[in-house]
């Protein structure tokens, strides 16, 4: 067994990596009790804990694969773990825990110079070392940097400022530069602390089911094993990688505006009208009417229009989320069938979404899931001809809701996005359209990988800000990709426009540049479309979008090869450079570069007023600058021209796709 008893306690090794070092002075686990306070305001959470007890479990008894942890020798057992070995991984099942224990802390052995990645979709930092990350699905917040004025404004006006660690998609799983990975099987609130040199501490506000470890000889094998463990989504269909999905929410006028994109030479794969079910105006901006049926007044003759687009090879996409507004037509139907979560008095739990209230579909009820999948998604959306949609939200389950299964809403809160993804996936599968229809989500948790065919990075601010702007899309793609989410994209131009913060032409152009080198290109008008510049408002913006869309279309053969690789190996299309070049020590904390597959290196410009950009080229290959054709040695950090329309991008010399890449400069 890889559990080795030592004079001081024991160690646990997997594939030669020491992952647990237990002694009386530095125990594997601590146990205790706490009383949490969790308050939600429109998807933003204020969470604190009153710690009653935290006790080191200093004494360990080892009997084969079973570890019994006690406060000291002779005391009653507090925690019993049992090791199960599998091919390539190991699981410590929690077989027993003392009554009243509702806080546990596990210490995983670490090295001082170790890099750490993962924990879901992290948008501020790729390397998590040196920071603590609470894992609770929520709105990420506006600004996401407590030192900035915009974050302060969001906090004081709506408790919505966020921080570097807030995310729609947390997951209690991380990888380390020792080619190992760790997962805590729980849906409870947890916090992973990577600030100590000798260990990583995992805090969880419940007794988890198990603690899981992987080790592999290299990063691709490790990522593939993780992808296999959590499940792989269906392959991204060809149509989604062949042109821009144009996002417009201007009612029937959207169809006329789409023609302006086509006439300007923009390759178009889809028209995304999130307002297909109608809109309502709020102080936040133009919001959608959350009643998931086509709004005939806003979109007359929609069925015929969808069919007309289909004859031209253009998909029509919509929008849905797991809530129903109480002034809509479907609310009464769902309520009469008992499909909503309940409040303490047994009535329908209504959640305030900002000047309108909604019921929460209870996904612990099989009947409610089936009704939403068939009645709403199947009949109103797929049946109408929608080829995809944004499956929004999933983070708002109130912790005091009463659920049909009897499960604690506090423990189901993190699980909710995965249940929501499964409802969408099952509706698509029932229609026989898996691998054809694409829905995209921002929220997630453990297991979402098996159901969601495409992530998007959520609601970035319409700017270049460090923690909420354009550059946050890169660490979001990289961190989630390492955990088995191979397909990722973002709102071109960002979404959130508040407190006078509006798009610039340069921001639109730079975002389009980056999007050309991602799996899917999709524009968004944002939450305040009439205050913000749109591509169709500016010939200069449209010209760059068209050029970048043609580049994306030209890359289709390469993208299809990456989709096939993702399906068979679980490797993300966008990946950290260290995945292909593990011996280059500069790459472990690099958060603003990525590889698109093995052969393209992209370093998006994420600042205003830039004409040149410094690039970190991985050692071990020669890299050719796409636009100039100049070759650069790996291991160097050249400064290259970065004019609008020519983002810093390089291909690996000698790749089989070199002729394809060399032609990009002519587009």
């Amino acid at each position: 067994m890889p559990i080795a008893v030592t004079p001081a306690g024991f160690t646990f090794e997997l594939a030669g990596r020491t992952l647990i070092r237990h002694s009386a002075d530095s125990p594997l686990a601590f146990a205790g009790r706490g009383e949490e306070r969790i308050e939600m305001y429109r998807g933003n959470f204020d969470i604190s804990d009153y710690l009653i007890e935290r006790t080191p479990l200093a004494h360990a008894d080892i009997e084969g694969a079973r570890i019994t942890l006690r406060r000291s020798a002779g005391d009653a057992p507090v925690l019993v773990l049992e090791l199960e070995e599998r091919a390539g991984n190991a699981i410590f099942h929690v077989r027993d825990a003392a009554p009243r224990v509702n806080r546990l802390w596990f210490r995983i052995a670490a090295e001082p110079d170790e890099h750490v990645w993962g924990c879901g979709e992290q948008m501020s930092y790729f390397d998590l070392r040196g920071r603590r990350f609470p894992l609770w699905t929520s709105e990420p917040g506006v600004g996401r940097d407590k030192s900035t004025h915009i974050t302060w404004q969001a906090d004081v006006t709506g408790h919505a400022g966020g921080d570097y660690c807030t995310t729609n998609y947390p997951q209690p799983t991380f990888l380390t530069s020792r080619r190992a990975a760790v997962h805590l099987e729980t849906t409870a609130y947890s916090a992973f602390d990577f600030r100590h040199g000798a260990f990583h501490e995992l805090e969880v506000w419940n007794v988890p089911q198990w603690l899981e470890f992987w080790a592999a000889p290299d990063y691709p094998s490790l990522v593939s094993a993780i992808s296999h463990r959590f499940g792989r989504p269906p392959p991204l269909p060809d149509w989604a990688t062949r042109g821009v999905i144009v996002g417009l929410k201007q009612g029937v006028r959207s169809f006329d505006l789409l023609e302006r994109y086509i006439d300007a030479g923009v390759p178009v794969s889809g028209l995304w009208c999130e307002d297909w079910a109608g809109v309502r105006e709020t102080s936040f901006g133009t919001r959608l009417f959350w009643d998931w049926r086509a709004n005939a007044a806003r979109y007359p003759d929609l069925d015929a229009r969808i069919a007309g687009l289909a004859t031209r090879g253009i998909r029509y996409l919509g929008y849905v989320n797991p809530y129903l507004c109480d002034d809509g037509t479907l609310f009464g139907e769902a309520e009469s069938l008992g499909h909503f979560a309940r409040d303490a008095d047994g009535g329908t739990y209504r959640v305030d979404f900002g000047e309108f209230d909604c019921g929460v579909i209870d996904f612990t009820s099989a009947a409610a899931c089936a009704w939403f999948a068939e009645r709403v998604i199947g009949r109103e959306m797929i049946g109408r001809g929608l080829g995809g949609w944004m499956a929004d939200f999933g983070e708002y389950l109130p912790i005091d809701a009463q659920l049909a299964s009897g499960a604690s809403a506090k423990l189901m809160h993190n699980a909710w996005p995965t249940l929501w993804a499964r409802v969408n996936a099952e509706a698509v599968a029932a229609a026989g359209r898996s691998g054809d229809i694409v829905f995209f989500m921002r929220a997630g948790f453990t297991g979402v990988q098996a159901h969601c065919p495409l992530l998007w990075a959520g609601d970035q601010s319409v700017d270049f800000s460090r923690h909420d702007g354009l550059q946050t899309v890169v660490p979001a793609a990289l961190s989630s990709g390492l955990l088995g989410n191979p397909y990722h994209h973002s709102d071109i131009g960002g979404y959130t426009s508040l407190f006078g913060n509006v798009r610039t032409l340069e921001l639109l152009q730079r975002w389009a540049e980056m999007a050309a080198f991602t799996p899917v290109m999709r524009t968004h008008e944002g939450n305040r479309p009439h205050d913000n510049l749109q591509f169709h408002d500016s010939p200069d913006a449209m010209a760059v979008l068209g050029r970048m869309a043609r580049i994306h279309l030209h890359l289709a053969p390469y993208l299809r090869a990456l989709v096939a690789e993702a399906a068979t190996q679980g490797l993300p299309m966008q990946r950290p450079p260290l995945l292909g070049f593990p011996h280059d020590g500069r790459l472990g904390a690099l958060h603003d570069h990525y590889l698109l597959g093995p052969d393209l290196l992209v370093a998006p410009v994420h600042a205003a007023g830039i004409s040149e950009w410094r690039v970190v080229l991985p050692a071990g290959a020669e890299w050719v600058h796409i636009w100039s054709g100049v070759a650069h040695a790996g291991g160097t950090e050249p400064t290259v021209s970065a004019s609008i329309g020519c983002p810093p991008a390089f291909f690996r010399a000698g790749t089989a796709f070199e002729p394809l890449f060399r032609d990009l400069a002519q587009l």
Side-chain angles (χ1 to χ4, degrees):
M1 297 297 293
I3 301 174
V5 177
T6 68
F10 72 90
T11 62
F12 164 71
E13 289 190 359
L14 186 63
R17 297 153 180 82
T18 299
L19 298 173
I20 295 174
R21 299 186 188 98
H22 171 90
S23 67
D25 293 334
S26 182
L28 160 63
F30 294 71
R33 294 169 52 227
E35 294 177 355
E36 69 272 12
R37 181 182 62 83
I38 302 177
E39 296 180 356
M40 181 179 80
Y41 183 76
R42 298 178 182 173
N44 300 280
F45 291 83
D46 185 8
I47 302 175
S48 61
D49 194 31
Y50 180 76
L51 185 61
I52 299 169
E53 177 188 1
R54 172 182 159 118
T55 302
L57 303 184
H59 182 78
D61 291 319
I62 312 295
E63 298 179 37
R66 182 173 287 252
I67 302 170
T68 302
L69 297 172
R70 313 170 194 266
R71 291 177 173 86
S72 60
D75 285 349
V78 178
L79 192 65
V80 178
L81 307 175
E82 188 169 8
L83 174 61
E84 176 192 359
E85 289 190 273
R86 296 180 182 175
N89 75 334
I91 298 175
F92 284 90
H93 296 275
V94 179
R95 296 303 189 195
D96 195 15
R100 302 180 67 201
V101 167
N102 68 357
R103 298 288 184 273
L104 285 169
W105 296 262
F106 295 97
R107 287 184 172 178
I108 309 304
E111 302 298 335
D113 59 350
E114 188 172 23
H115 296 290
V116 179
W117 314 288
C119 283
E121 184 184 52
Q122 295 295 333
M123 292 174 281
S124 284
Y125 299 103
F126 174 53
D127 187 1
L128 311 182
R129 200 69 161 111
R131 295 178 178 85
R132 181 177 181 271
F133 291 83
L135 300 175
W136 182 261
T137 181
S138 69
E139 287 278 6
V142 177
R144 299 186 69 256
D145 180 352
K146 295 303 186 186
S147 69
T148 63
H149 186 65
I150 193 170
T151 306
W152 174 82
Q153 286 177 295
D155 274 333
V156 298
T157 58
H159 310 286
D163 209 339
Y164 72 89
C165 53
T166 45
T167 176
N168 306 107
Y169 175 9
Q171 184 172 321
T173 312
F174 65 91
L175 300 80
T176 87
S177 53
R178 290 192 290 152
R179 280 73 164 178
V182 182
H183 170 69
L184 193 63
E185 184 65 19
T186 184
T187 59
Y189 175 93
S190 59
F192 285 13
D193 193 336
F194 304 111
R195 293 176 294 184
H196 199 281
F199 57 80
H200 310 308
E201 186 165 275
L202 319 184
E203 175 183 355
V204 57
W205 291 5
N206 195 40
V207 177
Q209 292 177 263
W210 64 74
L211 186 61
E212 190 167 356
F213 297 92
W214 295 264
D218 53 59
Y219 291 130
S221 298
L222 183 61
V223 173
S224 184
I226 291 171
S227 172
H228 178 74
R229 160 67 174 83
F230 294 119
R232 293 174 186 165
L236 200 62
D238 287 357
W239 70 264
T241 61
R242 295 181 178 274
V244 176
I245 299 172
V246 177
L248 299 167
K249 51 180 176 182
Q250 300 193 30
V252 70
R253 180 170 177 260
S254 299
F255 286 89
D256 296 330
L257 284 174
L258 180 68
E259 299 303 323
R260 290 168 58 177
Y261 287 77
I262 295 171
D263 291 345
V266 178
V268 172
S269 62
L271 171 62
W272 173 50
C273 296
E274 59 174 342
D275 64 333
W276 73 288
V279 299
R280 70 170 87 225
E281 295 297 330
T282 72
S283 61
F284 179 76
T286 302
R287 302 287 301 275
L288 306 179
F289 193 73
W290 294 9
D291 186 44
W292 313 123
R293 310 178 74 174
N295 186 298
R298 192 165 179 83
Y299 282 99
D301 303 318
L302 182 58
D303 292 1
R305 292 178 182 275
I306 292 174
L309 288 180
T311 64
R312 302 164 67 185
I314 299 173
R315 300 291 181 111
Y316 183 82
L317 294 86
Y319 174 102
V320 69
N321 67 44
Y323 316 106
L324 293 171
C325 59
D326 61 7
D327 54 349
T329 61
L330 288 170
F331 182 92
E333 184 177 338
E335 188 173 48
S336 67
L337 294 169
H339 292 332
F340 287 126
R342 300 293 180 179
D343 60 24
D345 297 323
T348 296
Y349 200 117
R350 284 172 165 80
V351 178
D352 173 13
F353 280 93
E355 299 164 42
F356 61 97
D357 293 338
C358 294
V360 181
I361 300 296
D362 188 345
F363 294 142
T364 69
S365 162
C369 291
W371 176 83
F372 200 94
E374 189 281 324
R375 175 69 180 86
V376 179
I377 298 177
R379 191 186 312 177
E380 300 292 344
M381 299 174 68
I382 299 175
R384 190 170 293 280
L386 270 66
W389 53 84
M390 174 183 281
D392 204 0
F393 289 94
E395 310 93 338
Y396 281 52
L397 178 68
I399 65 168
D400 58 344
Q402 308 299 306
L403 302 176
S405 68
S408 163
K410 192 181 301 182
L411 293 179
M412 293 306 297
H413 173 84
N414 274 336
W416 218 246
T418 301
L419 299 182
W420 171 226
R422 187 176 66 190
V423 168
N424 283 267
E426 289 179 350
V428 172
R433 302 285 297 279
S434 298
D436 177 33
I437 285 176
V438 173
F439 63 89
F440 42 99
M441 297 180 61
R442 68 178 192 177
F445 195 69
T446 304
V448 75
Q449 298 92 325
H451 308 298
C452 177
L454 177 64
L455 292 181
W456 109 90
D459 298 343
Q460 276 77 23
S461 288
V462 291
D463 56 30
F464 291 108
S465 59
R466 169 66 182 86
H467 291 280
D468 200 17
L470 168 62
Q471 63 179 300
T472 62
V473 174
V474 176
L478 301 184
S479 56
S480 59
L482 290 178
L483 299 186
N485 300 276
Y487 314 119
H488 193 278
H489 77 305
S490 64
D491 299 332
I492 299 177
Y495 171 80
T496 304
S497 174
L498 292 173
F499 314 116
N501 186 30
V502 295
R503 290 170 173 165
T504 64
L505 171 62
E506 186 179 13
L507 178 81
L508 275 180
Q509 293 171 323
R510 290 302 191 189
W511 214 306
E513 289 178 355
M514 178 186 66
F517 294 93
T518 66
V520 172
M521 295 185 73
R522 177 181 54 81
T523 68
H524 199 314
E525 289 191 318
N527 68 306
R528 295 177 181 266
H530 303 299
D531 296 340
N532 280 270
L533 183 69
Q534 308 296 338
F535 282 104
H536 52 263
D537 295 330
S538 165
D540 290 338
M542 190 75 90
V544 170
L545 179 66
R547 169 174 162 79
M548 303 321 297
R550 289 190 292 274
I551 286 170
H552 190 262
L553 180 61
H554 182 80
L555 288 173
Y558 182 63
L559 297 178
R560 297 317 305 164
L562 300 184
V563 169
E565 185 181 58
T568 57
Q569 300 179 46
L571 297 181
M573 293 178 70
Q574 290 172 266
R575 56 192 69 167
L578 65 91
L579 201 68
F581 300 90
H583 302 297
D584 189 335
R586 303 168 303 157
L587 306 180
L590 192 64
H591 73 275
D592 59 354
H593 290 44
Y594 62 92
L595 292 173
L596 182 61
D599 298 330
L600 283 177
L601 178 76
V602 187
V605 173
H606 51 72
I610 295 298
S611 59
E612 295 182 325
W613 199 249
R614 185 181 67 85
V615 180
V616 178
L617 297 177
E622 183 179 68
W623 297 94
V624 180
H625 185 233
I626 285 175
W627 318 115
S628 67
V630 174
H632 297 265
T636 61
E637 299 184 11
T639 296
V640 298
S641 173
S643 58
I644 296 292
C646 296
F650 300 75
F651 66 82
R652 184 172 55 83
T655 170
F657 287 95
E658 183 165 335
L660 181 79
F661 298 150
R662 287 196 178 277
D663 287 344
L664 289 173
Q666 310 305 316
L667 297 177

